[in-house]
Each structure stands twice: as C-alpha cells, then as structure tokens.
C-alpha cells in the first residue's frame, strides 16, 4: 500500500518539477488538485497549513512538497517527494542552462524569455488564488489576505511583520 502511494507521489511530483517554471508556486494549483481532490491525501485546510509552514520557514518554497510527503507517508514520503520534485528539475536546468548560454545571441531566445515571464506571473497568481480560496473562509481572513497583498505590493514593511500579524490574528482565533 505504502509503496503504491510512494510511486504515485514520485510520478506526480517528478512531472510537476518539469513544469515548475518560476519556482514551486507556479505548480501550486496542480499540486493542490492532486493532493486534495484527486488523491485525497490532504484536506483543503491541511494543504493551506502546510503551505503556510513552507512559506514561513527559511529555505526554498518547494518545502511544501517535503511536508506533503511527510504528511502522506512519513519519512519515506518526505524523501521520495523531495527527490521527485528536485531531481528532474535540476537535471533539466543543468542541460537547458548550457544550451541557453550557447544560443545567447539568437533573437528567438529573447522572444521566448519575454513570453515566459507573463505566463509565469499568471501561473503564480493562479496558485495564490487557489490557496486564498482554501483559507479565506471568513471576512477577517479575506481582509487579511487583501491587506497582505496591499502591503506586499505598495508597502515598505518587511514581510516578517506581516507573518507575525497573521500569527497573532490566528492565535487570537479571529480567522
């Protein structure tokens, strides 16, 4: 049983790693769909909690994959999920970086880069929307999300203060 889950997890995260242009958050909607809706490994709330922990912890934002693996199958799940999300992307990045540098003067390279940037931004925004839908179940939570967006976009406040505020609001039971 556990081996089957590990194989499904490895296949799923390996495929996602090849699509994660711009980082792990670009595949967040698909990660959520697979973990919550298709496989039933997590609830919406568990997914949102793991996402919050992954974002609050220092280190790469792809930490959520390790946490999902841990939640689903313990240490073996964490190791399999982490290896599956990292190995294919690292291998592909190594190969593409060499080719990308080789073609640095080609006009098509700039065109491809210009096309990938807005697509990546759209995918990241979709990921943010998916996570917001899972956690914004009250007016206070929705207002906190909107305030965080505003502060992040136009404020000059260190994001750690926003995290502290979110923790206080959550500890007080207001969301």
């Amino acid at each position: 049983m556990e081996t089957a889950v590990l194989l499904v997890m490895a296949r799923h995260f390996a495929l996602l790693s090849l699509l994660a242009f711009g980082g792990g958050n670009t595949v967040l909607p698909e990660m959520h769909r697979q973990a919550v809706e298709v496989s039933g490994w997590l609830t919406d709330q568990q997914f949102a909690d793991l996402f919050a922990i992954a974002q609050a912890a220092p280190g790469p934002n792809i930490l959520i994959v390790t946490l999902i693996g841990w939640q689903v199958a313990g240490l073996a799940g964490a190791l399999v999920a982490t290896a599956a999300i990292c190995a294919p992307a690292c291998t592909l990045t190594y190969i593409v970086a060499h080719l990308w540098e080789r073609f640095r003067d080609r006009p098509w390279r700039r065109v491809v880069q210009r096309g990938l940037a807005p697509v990546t931004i759209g995918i990241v925004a979709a990921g943010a929307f998916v996570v917001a839908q899972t956690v914004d179940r009250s007016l206070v939570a929705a207002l906190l999300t909107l305030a965080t967006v505003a502060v992040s976009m136009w404020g000059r406040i260190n994001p750690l203060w926003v995290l502290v505020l979110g923790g206080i609001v959550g500890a007080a039971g207001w969301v």
Side-chain angles (χ1 to χ4, degrees):
M1 174 75 175
E2 187 171 304
T3 302
V5 170
L6 293 174
L7 289 173
V8 168
M9 198 178 333
R11 185 187 67 215
H12 176 67
F13 287 129
L15 179 61
L16 285 180
S17 79
L18 297 174
L19 305 172
F21 289 90
N25 288 340
T26 59
V27 291
L28 205 56
E30 178 58 21
M31 195 181 306
H32 174 270
R33 191 184 73 79
Q34 182 66 35
V36 175
E37 299 169 15
V38 175
S39 298
W41 294 330
L42 305 170
T43 64
D44 274 336
Q45 187 61 52
Q46 288 173 318
F47 186 87
D49 291 346
L50 295 179
F51 177 76
I53 292 168
Q55 295 303 299
N61 61 10
I62 204 66
L63 180 62
I64 187 173
V65 171
T66 304
L67 296 174
I68 290 172
W70 179 271
Q71 183 76 26
V72 173
L75 179 61
L79 293 173
V80 166
T82 304
I85 200 76
C86 292
C90 289
T91 304
L92 182 64
T93 300
Y94 179 79
I95 293 168
V96 170
H98 284 285
L99 290 174
W100 207 242
E101 184 59 27
R102 184 175 170 190
F103 297 113
R104 69 179 170 264
D105 297 327
R106 302 293 170 102
W108 60 263
R109 181 183 151 174
R110 276 177 263 147
V111 173
V112 169
Q113 280 181 268
R114 285 187 202 135
L116 286 176
V119 168
T120 302
I121 291 167
I123 293 171
V124 169
F129 184 73
V130 165
V131 174
Q133 281 183 314
T134 63
V135 298
D136 289 348
R137 304 225 180 252
S138 70
L139 180 62
V140 173
L143 291 174
L144 185 59
T145 298
L146 292 174
T148 302
V149 169
V151 166
S152 299
M153 289 184 69
W154 299 293
R156 294 181 180 256
I157 299 172
N158 188 316
L160 289 176
W161 290 112
V162 178
L163 288 171
V164 169
L165 176 64
I168 291 169
V169 170
W174 295 338
V175 289

